[in-house]
Amino acid sequence: MKITEHIHYVGVNDRQKSLFEGLWPLPNGVSYNSYLIVDKMITLVDTVEVSFFAQFIENIHEIIGDRPIDYLVINHMEPDHSGSLALIKKYYPDITLIGNKKTGEMVEGFYGLNTAFKEIKNGDFIETGVVRLSFVLTPMIHWPETMMTLATTLQADDSGQDAPTLLFSGDAFGCFGALNGGVVDKDINCETFWLEMTRYYSNIVGKYGTPVQQALKKLAGTNIDYICSTHGPVWNEHVGRVVGIYDRLSRYETEPGIVICYGTMYGNTERMAEHIARAASRAGVKNIALYNVSTTHHSYILRDIFRYRGLIVGAPTYNNGLYHEMDVLLSEIASRNVNNHLLGVFGSHTWSSKAVAAIEEWNGQHLHFEQVGASVDMKQGLSDDVRQQCEALGTAMAERLLSEAAE
């Protein structure tokens, strides 16, 4: 599919895989995006997962026929983007691979390829004819070799208009979801992609907020007309919105709202969560996400934790410790360096209270969130006193969020 005069989309869609990286649900599939620059010299930007190579090579041949490919720019070495390298080399034995030093090490390590390789550094460029490719090293988004490539045309088009600037961004600015027909955002309904972008970022890139900010600073001042990521739509109309989402998420900036997540064995802790949520709603908070940590995949919970400032977690005591799925979730939050959150705590026990203390210990040692309201610890069943404590916790969190929003 043609994006601009010289640049074509040759990616593929995966509607077979149920878990991305064996971890993250794909209810709408995922795309593996690759791009072909047709100029005096032919350049391929990234490849696709190897199991889709037959369709991939067909897409390439549809554009260039039997012409050889001169360059392959490797922005990211993760196998869903580099998996077809060895086969591409068989089809185009004279191709030159382009990447940074760490890329070259991974090409040999993953695929055993000792082939023509052009090592580039930050700020280097090549010209393929009328297109100039400039390279921006963006390490740790989210691997050490990640980089981006800017494509600019060195002459105006026939109308005299300046040609657009495209950013091949690797995994950055990507999202889950297959492309159902169109490729560029202006040709498709993008509503399903916005929350999937946040879920993609929070689960895969979320730990690396500082490197994302460093990359955004490198790109500042560049007028980007298209963002060509390796997953999801090509962004054109929504470039500003997409960059804004990454900027906000990488600064861990949130909006007023509460994620209430709980573990429960027999429904008693769940009842506590319901009373907390109702009280927060009565106090005026509209954005409330309520999750059972055992039945909702954690990727969706983490997505909303990145979105909302308030977090209230609760679980029963289990095996004289913290309920397993809550322990896992807290570890996942901590591993992503999430900050700038308010925390509420509740829990339950039958004869030995451990869960509430364990959550507070997790916070003190790893999360470092500001605790709001008094922790609620229920022994056995939900009494009127415990219900009132739950309502007080929900109200305290709501009032704090609303007071901040009013400032």
Side-chain angles (χ1 to χ4, degrees):
M1 298 182 186
K2 195 170 186 177
I3 300 173
T4 67
E5 182 177 357
H6 297 284
I7 296 172
H8 302 256
Y9 177 89
V10 289
V12 299
N13 288 296
D14 184 350
R15 298 184 179 87
Q16 302 172 28
K17 189 180 278 87
S18 60
L19 292 175
F20 189 76
E21 299 180 338
L23 292 168
W24 320 117
L26 293 173
N28 302 314
V30 68
S31 67
Y32 309 122
N33 299 343
S34 175
Y35 305 90
L36 200 61
I37 302 172
V38 181
D39 201 358
K40 183 178 180 181
M41 304 181 80
I42 304 293
T43 303
L44 183 64
V45 182
D46 295 309
T47 70
V48 302
E49 188 175 271
V50 66
S51 56
F52 292 86
F53 183 79
Q55 181 182 343
F56 180 50
I57 198 68
E58 182 180 320
N59 293 346
I60 291 171
H61 285 161
E62 185 177 336
I63 304 299
I64 61 171
D66 294 329
R67 286 186 64 181
I69 298 178
D70 300 285
Y71 296 126
L72 169 55
V73 174
I74 306 170
N75 287 314
H76 186 22
M77 274 297 299
E78 208 163 2
D80 54 333
H81 308 302
S82 69
S84 294
L85 273 176
L87 288 174
I88 282 289
K89 177 66 176 174
K90 289 182 181 297
Y91 274 76
Y92 303 100
D94 296 325
I95 196 170
T96 297
L97 309 185
I98 297 177
N100 56 65
K101 181 178 180 180
K102 291 185 182 297
T103 305
E105 295 168 357
M106 292 185 185
V107 167
E108 186 169 358
F110 271 110
Y111 307 110
L113 292 178
N114 187 5
T115 187
F117 184 85
K118 181 178 178 62
E119 182 181 319
I120 57 90
K121 296 179 175 61
N122 187 68
D124 286 352
F125 66 89
I126 63 170
E127 293 177 1
T128 63
V130 299
V131 176
R132 173 178 288 173
L133 300 177
S134 306
F135 305 107
V136 183
L137 270 59
T138 56
M140 294 317 302
I141 309 178
H142 49 120
W143 279 25
E145 89 301 348
T146 50
M147 68 181 203
M148 302 183 189
T149 303
L150 282 163
T152 55
T153 303
L154 301 176
Q155 62 188 42
D157 62 22
D158 294 339
S159 68
Q161 297 290 321
D162 290 336
T165 297
L166 294 88
L167 177 68
F168 300 104
S169 61
D171 273 352
F173 309 116
C175 59
F176 297 128
L179 300 173
N180 300 326
V183 168
V184 182
D185 59 359
K186 62 186 178 183
D187 299 323
I188 61 180
N189 185 333
C190 293
E191 287 308 307
T192 60
F193 291 107
W194 298 120
L195 282 180
E196 287 294 74
M197 175 175 284
T198 300
R199 187 165 70 96
Y200 180 92
Y201 178 94
S202 58
N203 287 278
I204 295 175
V205 189
K207 179 183 178 68
Y208 303 104
T210 297
V212 171
Q213 281 293 305
Q214 292 170 344
L216 291 174
K217 288 177 182 177
K218 286 184 177 180
L219 296 170
T222 303
N223 183 27
I224 299 169
D225 299 290
Y226 291 84
I227 294 177
C228 302
S229 176
T230 46
H231 296 296
V234 171
W235 303 108
N236 174 228
E237 289 186 340
H238 297 297
V239 165
R241 180 175 179 177
V242 168
V243 173
I245 288 172
Y246 262 65
D247 180 38
R248 184 176 69 253
L249 291 173
S250 62
R251 288 186 287 106
Y252 301 97
E253 181 180 306
T254 55
E255 57 184 289
I258 306 171
V259 176
I260 304 172
C261 44
Y262 63 90
T264 192
M265 289 184 284
Y266 304 109
N268 291 306
T269 315
E270 182 176 42
R271 292 177 68 193
M272 298 175 74
E274 292 283 3
H275 284 290
I276 293 168
R278 290 171 189 168
S281 176
R282 285 197 299 269
V285 174
K286 294 183 178 180
N287 295 324
I288 300 174
L290 190 61
Y291 291 117
N292 183 327
V293 295
S294 296
T295 60
T296 301
H297 194 277
H298 291 188
S299 67
Y300 295 95
I301 303 174
L302 290 165
R303 176 198 68 189
D304 286 345
I305 288 172
F306 267 77
R307 295 171 66 201
Y308 298 135
R309 177 153 161 77
L311 173 64
I312 303 178
V313 298
T317 297
Y318 193 86
N319 280 344
N320 206 35
L322 183 58
Y323 189 71
H324 173 73
E325 286 299 315
M326 181 57 69
D327 193 56
V328 171
L329 177 65
L330 294 175
S331 176
E332 290 169 335
I333 296 169
S335 71
R336 284 159 177 78
N337 296 334
V338 177
N339 56 61
N340 194 33
H341 278 62
L342 305 173
L343 179 69
V345 179
F346 66 103
S348 64
H349 66 281
T350 297
W351 67 89
S352 177
S353 175
K354 296 293 182 180
V356 167
I359 295 170
E360 291 177 337
E361 183 178 356
W362 251 108
N363 185 47
Q365 294 184 1
H366 304 289
L367 301 179
H368 311 297
F369 295 164
E370 179 185 348
Q371 191 165 341
V372 173
S375 298
V376 184
D377 192 0
M378 179 179 70
K379 182 175 182 179
Q380 298 165 9
L382 185 72
S383 65
D384 285 342
D385 181 55
V386 170
R387 178 181 54 77
Q388 291 172 12
Q389 291 178 52
C390 290
E391 292 174 352
L393 175 57
T395 301
M397 180 64 77
E399 289 177 347
R400 175 61 183 276
L401 292 171
L402 294 172
S403 67
E404 289 182 348
E407 290 178 357

